[in-house]
């Protein structure tokens, strides 16, 4: 288990009064709904990563630059 924290990025996309979600396919939260995103690779900005992940996971191209909203500090002890 790595003692280094991972930085995760989740992209909340709004259109009018709706929020766009995807269904998880990976073991963490399998078959649950979540925002597109994942672990931020070294050397990529959160904005670059958000834009890329939205395209990869949904096929959608963002028409505006992502804006930082919030940060959380979550520890998933069961997952290490």
């Amino acid at each position: 288990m790595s003692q280094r924290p991972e930085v995760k990025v989740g992209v909340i996309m709004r259109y009018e009064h709706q929020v766009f979600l995807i269904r998880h396919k990976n073991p963490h939260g399998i078959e649950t709904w979540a925002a597109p995103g994942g672990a931020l690779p070294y050397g990529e900005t959160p904005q670059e990563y958000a834009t890329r992940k939205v395209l990869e996971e949904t096929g959608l191209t963002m028409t505006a630059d992502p804006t930082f909203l919030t940060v959380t500090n979550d520890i998933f002890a069961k997952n290490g």
Side-chain angles (χ1 to χ4, degrees), residues 17-75:
H17 298 289
Q18 299 178 355
V19 175
F20 187 85
L21 299 174
I22 60 172
R23 190 169 277 212
H24 272 285
K25 301 284 186 210
N26 62 4
H28 179 72
I30 192 164
E31 296 302 319
T32 59
W33 294 97
L40 180 67
Y42 180 80
E44 192 168 18
T45 69
Q47 293 83 359
E48 291 168 341
Y49 180 73
T51 301
R52 179 173 63 81
K53 286 306 279 186
V54 166
L55 180 60
E56 288 176 4
E57 295 184 5
T58 69
L60 299 173
T61 301
M62 295 190 341
T63 58
D65 289 332
T67 303
F68 177 79
L69 181 63
T70 190
V71 66
T72 65
N73 184 20
D74 302 319
I75 299 172

Side-chain angles (χ1 to χ4, degrees), residues 6-18:
E6 281 188 314
V7 175
K8 302 283 187 161
V9 174
V11 184
I12 299 172
M13 297 184 301
R14 295 182 306 145
Y15 179 73
E16 295 179 358
H17 298 289
Q18 299 178 355

